[in-house]
Amino acid sequence: MTAEPNEGFARAEALLLEHRRLMVQARVLLARTASRTERLAMADELISLIDGLDMEKRALGVRIHRGRAANVAVSAYGRAMATRR
């Protein structure tokens, strides 16, 4: 389940590109008369994008938490080793 750091950023970049694509598509859709089916399809794509962004936000939070926990552990280990000397 652990993703490589670059993989996480690649996913975030893919979501950013998807956002840009959907915004262009939404502007085109809003500039003309769109059918109910087209509007529902756009809403579905936007909901999927929001879900993807939410998952990436949580994954980033986990990576940040793990990084902080590792920093605390290394710091504590360093302090423990300093007191042994």
Side-chain angles (χ1 to χ4, degrees):
M1 181 164 176
T2 303
E4 293 294 320
N6 291 337
E7 184 181 320
F9 288 114
R11 173 87 174 120
E13 188 170 351
L15 287 168
L16 176 63
L17 293 174
E18 178 71 3
H19 171 265
R20 289 179 180 165
R21 182 188 70 79
L22 286 174
M23 290 302 99
V24 169
Q25 193 176 352
R27 284 187 187 104
V28 169
L29 193 69
L30 292 172
R32 63 176 174 79
T33 304
S35 70
R36 178 174 165 78
T37 304
E38 289 174 313
R39 291 192 310 265
L40 287 173
M42 176 57 64
D44 185 55
E45 288 191 57
L46 290 170
I47 289 169
S48 294
L49 174 66
I50 291 167
D51 288 344
L53 289 169
D54 190 45
M55 287 182 354
E56 189 59 32
K57 177 183 167 185
R58 278 192 238 119
L60 181 60
V62 167
R63 287 194 298 268
I64 289 170
H65 177 72
R66 285 182 184 156
R68 286 182 183 160
N71 287 342
V72 168
V74 167
S75 178
Y77 180 76
R79 284 193 304 269
M81 293 308 289
T83 59
R84 295 180 104 195
R85 293 181 182 175

